[in-house]
Amino acid sequence: MLAVPLVMGWMLAAAAPPEQAILGQAETAFRQGVNQARDDPDAARRAFAAAAACYEELRQHGLANPRLLGNQGNACLLAGDLPHAVLAYRRGLRLAPRDPDLRRGLAHAEDLVYSPTSNLARPPEDSWPGWLPHPGAGACLALFAILYGGGWLVLTRWWMTRRAGGGSLAAGCFLAALLPAGLWLDEQAQVRDRRDHPLVIVARQDVWLRRGNGADFPLRLDTPLPAGAQARWLFGRGNWVQIQLPGGEVGWVPRHDLLVDIPSSAEASLAIQ
Amino acid sequence: MTSSSAQFSSFRQAALALVLAFAGASWTPAAPPAPPIFNGAEGTFPQVTMTASLTEVQVAHPVTLTVRITAARPPQQPPQRPDFPKLARSKYPGSGRLAEFVKTFHIEPTRERQDGLTWEFDYRLHPRVAGTHTIPSWPFLYYRPDSNPKRVGTFQTTWVNEPDGLTIAVRPAPLEAPEPLFRIATGSAVLERQRQPGPASPFLVAAILLGPPLLCGGWYAAWRQLYPDAARRRQRRRSRAARKALQELCTRTSGSAAEEANRAARVVTNYLQDRLELPPGEPTPAEVGLHLQRLGVPEKLAGKAAEFFRSCDQLRFAPAVVPAEQSLSGIGADLIGALEAEPCLLSHL
């Protein structure tokens, strides 16, 4: 009689999702870091690094949401790993562009990366007003479909009955549909741009930007790129990648000095000679 | 170069100089090749030291390192700024420790100055990692010419801060960040799976763009199929309204001008309400004109309609003041005929 509940308990434990256990480890490590932050910064950084590793493992399991990525960004930033912190915040902001916690974290990380005396341009801030709700691509498409379809219905009914005002109402619906259509098209353009030119982040300190794909080529800038600097992937050739900085400067860096914001299996689809 | 071979080389050069002196020629011995760590200084530099502005500093905070080189007498070539990365790459005994120093600190040359026989070179060091770090003793190699100009000089080494070097303790930076960053989100929301926004499916876009016109086209076709007389009824209603109004207006009645004006206004109003959806009730002349203009009737014709109703009102309410110049029934009939002929109203109802 005892065997049955024991076996069931074992089966339930075995079937418990590993993500929950990993999440527990991450939260424990993070709290440990918070407790040690004042008295032992080095130990706290190690604890935050352990928490960041757990969050990354969860992400590798296929989990992705603004909360998880925000936690990962905070853990990486407190561990002193600016490149991974910036990457995590950027991934989270793609899912939730208006999230204040993610924006705050990214702003702080960028403050640490880009010093006031640096001649490197920071990535431009989002120009969308903070007070204005930002509709997602799905909402824009749905609104367009409603207005566009409604316009056709009104137009057809007006054509049948020829009542006054029907034509104007149909025209108004079509005109109003242009706004969500424009927003949706802009969003699609950004998605394609992110797919073709993904975000890259300098993974190490003092990486030099060169004019060609080799260490023998002259330097493009007088100062090296700081760890955590953001850029866009333009072109890949062998072990070198051509990138474009937010200020417009174009140059080449070794591939192993970059964090790329796409799965490694998808890099083959990028422009590589 | 060993001491015996150096002596032999010096003897050969001295013998050659003696022979040339007898031959009346002057000769200056060539200096030996310089080792890689040669500073470039030529003279006598008995004292080279380095000092740090701080011996305890925090990570990433700067500390100034000063290398001070003192000559015994004015040199033939002044000392150059020591290049620590280049020294670390050179293979001399102990260069590995200097390489460790170069890796641990970000070295930035700053000021250099000379005061008499003393040269000072400053460097700003930024420690990258915490811990106790030692800048090891390193060789300052200079060329010391021989007192006899006919003889070759020698390379001399002065070891800087021998044997212990210079120790700098680097404290770890405190963990500082905005307070909200020390918080994390918890709960089941952290384990959600959300898809990254991707490009829209072209089939979905095609369905949204083509679906409504196709559906509405089908709806219209079905409506025509179900109500084939609807268009004809619309046409008949239009012409019936006009016929009925014209018939009434042409019917002669005996009555005062005010009564005729009243009847004409009522007939034309009924026509406009039946044919052109004028709102129910008794409209004002301005309302009639505005309604017709809204339907696309030219302003002149709409003005005529408004004038017609104005005339009717004047005759109805002040018949003794305004004599009737023309039969209002006739004016109303003309108005109806003009409206029926108006192209913008041909397709209305």
Side-chain angles (χ1 to χ4, degrees):
Chain A
M1 278 185 66
L2 287 177
V4 171
L6 277 175
V7 169
M8 284 180 65
W10 173 79
M11 287 174 67
L12 281 172
E19 290 94 0
Q20 195 68 45
I22 298 171
L23 180 62
Q25 292 172 11
E27 291 174 357
T28 301
F30 196 95
R31 283 195 207 99
Q32 185 181 353
V34 171
N35 293 336
Q36 293 175 317
R38 185 190 297 271
D39 300 324
D40 193 348
D42 273 352
R45 288 190 179 91
R46 286 194 292 274
F48 288 129
C54 291
Y55 286 124
E56 175 61 19
E57 191 177 348
L58 288 173
R59 203 187 66 82
Q60 296 289 341
H61 278 231
L63 273 66
N65 58 79
R67 302 279 74 79
L68 171 70
L69 293 165
N71 290 354
Q72 184 181 10
N74 291 353
C76 289
L77 191 143
L78 293 171
D81 186 357
L82 283 178
H84 284 95
V86 170
L87 183 60
Y89 289 134
R90 280 289 181 193
R91 283 173 170 159
L93 284 170
R94 269 214 302 284
L95 296 174
R98 303 283 98 200
D99 189 283
D101 294 331
L102 291 169
R103 288 160 70 98
R104 184 189 304 120
L106 179 64
H108 182 71
E110 288 180 344
D111 286 341
L112 297 175
V113 170
Y114 298 98
S115 67
T117 56
S118 168
N119 58 354
L120 288 178
R122 289 177 68 141
E125 290 188 11
D126 192 359
S127 57
W128 190 269
W131 53 268
L132 191 63
H134 188 280
C140 288
L141 193 60
L143 186 60
F144 167 76
I146 291 170
L147 290 170
Y148 177 73
W152 272 103
L153 287 173
V154 172
L155 182 68
T156 306
R157 189 61 187 164
W158 172 76
W159 192 258
M160 292 174 185
T161 62
R162 302 305 170 92
R163 290 186 188 275
S168 304
L169 182 59
C173 287
F174 288 132
L175 280 174
L178 289 178
L179 178 61
L183 291 174
W184 179 80
L185 286 171
D186 179 65
E187 180 75 24
Q188 291 299 297
Q190 289 184 27
V191 167
R192 275 195 299 275
D193 186 55
R194 279 198 295 266
R195 182 192 59 193
D196 297 335
H197 305 291
L199 173 72
V200 296
I201 295 172
V202 176
R204 270 171 274 279
Q205 194 68 22
D206 297 338
V207 171
W208 292 95
L209 191 69
R210 295 189 179 272
R211 293 184 184 274
N213 57 328
D216 298 332
F217 282 91
L219 301 176
R220 176 68 176 79
L221 297 174
D222 296 332
T223 54
L225 302 176
Q230 299 169 60
R232 287 281 168 196
W233 174 306
L234 294 182
F235 206 69
R237 185 179 294 172
N239 294 325
W240 288 75
V241 176
Q242 189 184 50
I243 63 173
Q244 183 172 26
L245 301 178
E249 302 93 339
V250 174
W252 294 79
V253 294
R255 167 67 184 90
H256 57 77
D257 285 337
L258 294 175
L259 298 176
V260 186
D261 186 21
I262 53 169
S264 56
S265 57
E267 280 191 32
S269 65
L270 292 174
I272 295 176
Q273 281 191 354
Chain B
M1 189 183 286
T2 61
S3 59
S4 61
S5 60
Q7 286 173 357
F8 180 69
S9 173
S10 300
F11 174 76
R12 274 178 60 188
Q13 288 170 349
L16 183 60
L18 199 63
V19 167
L20 289 176
F22 275 123
S26 64
W27 172 80
T28 305
I37 61 173
F38 175 51
N39 176 266
E42 291 187 17
T44 305
F45 303 91
Q47 188 179 15
V48 181
T49 59
M50 61 178 175
T51 54
S53 59
L54 299 166
T55 55
E56 191 174 325
V57 72
Q58 189 176 296
V59 168
H61 282 216
V63 58
T64 301
L65 178 74
T66 302
V67 174
R68 192 172 289 108
I69 303 171
T70 305
R73 61 186 70 84
Q76 282 83 344
Q77 292 290 338
Q80 306 298 312
R81 175 184 285 279
D83 187 341
F84 289 109
K86 184 180 173 186
L87 274 172
R89 288 193 295 269
S90 306
K91 302 297 180 192
Y92 69 88
S95 61
R97 294 180 63 205
L98 194 68
E100 195 62 33
F101 156 63
V102 170
K103 190 178 164 186
T104 305
F105 289 84
H106 174 73
I107 303 169
E108 183 186 342
T110 53
R111 197 172 52 168
E112 62 181 77
R113 50 192 178 274
Q114 180 193 354
D115 182 18
L117 295 178
T118 300
W119 286 260
E120 287 187 349
F121 300 96
D122 285 350
Y123 303 82
R124 186 175 297 122
L125 308 180
H126 294 263
R128 293 192 173 115
V129 292
T132 301
H133 306 292
T134 300
I135 307 173
S137 176
W138 48 275
F140 175 76
L141 186 71
Y142 61 93
Y143 180 74
R144 180 178 170 183
D146 194 278
S147 54
N148 185 343
K150 301 294 184 191
R151 290 187 182 163
V152 175
T154 55
F155 287 99
Q156 303 275 335
T157 301
T158 300
W159 285 89
V160 183
N161 285 43
E162 194 176 28
D164 299 324
L166 189 63
T167 300
I168 298 178
V170 181
R171 297 189 310 273
L175 200 53
E176 291 175 344
E179 198 273 334
L181 297 184
F182 286 92
R183 292 196 291 261
I184 51 171
T186 56
S188 57
V190 184
L191 295 177
E192 286 179 2
R193 282 179 166 83
Q194 289 186 20
R195 283 187 58 189
Q196 294 278 353
S201 163
F203 297 108
L204 176 64
V205 174
I208 290 174
L209 287 176
L210 297 177
L214 289 176
L215 285 172
C216 290
W219 178 28
Y220 184 76
W223 176 78
R224 285 291 298 263
Q225 193 74 19
L226 290 172
Y227 306 102
D229 292 334
R232 285 199 291 273
R233 279 204 301 269
R234 198 169 61 212
Q235 176 69 24
R236 282 201 299 269
R237 189 168 56 188
R238 180 170 61 227
S239 54
R240 186 177 64 227
R243 265 204 314 277
K244 180 182 169 189
L246 288 172
Q247 203 168 3
E248 285 193 46
L249 286 172
C250 291
T251 302
R252 287 183 179 276
T253 57
S254 58
S256 64
E259 285 171 357
E260 188 196 349
N262 196 22
R263 187 176 70 89
R266 177 177 51 78
V267 170
V268 177
T269 299
N270 287 342
Y271 162 77
L272 290 176
Q273 286 170 346
D274 194 15
R275 172 78 173 88
L276 298 178
E277 290 186 325
L278 185 69
E282 196 166 332
T284 64
E287 286 171 354
V288 171
L290 198 62
H291 179 78
L292 290 177
Q293 283 187 35
R294 224 179 272 135
L295 293 177
V297 173
E299 192 177 341
K300 193 175 175 185
L301 183 56
K304 277 190 183 172
E307 187 58 35
F308 165 76
F309 279 95
R310 207 167 288 122
S311 302
C312 289
D313 287 344
Q314 284 174 348
L315 279 174
R316 283 158 71 188
F317 303 116
V321 176
V322 181
E325 290 179 356
Q326 184 185 351
S327 164
L328 284 174
S329 296
I331 296 173
D334 291 341
L335 181 63
I336 289 172
L339 286 172
E340 283 296 311
E342 190 54 41
C344 69
L345 298 178
L346 282 178
S347 60
H348 192 74
L349 280 184

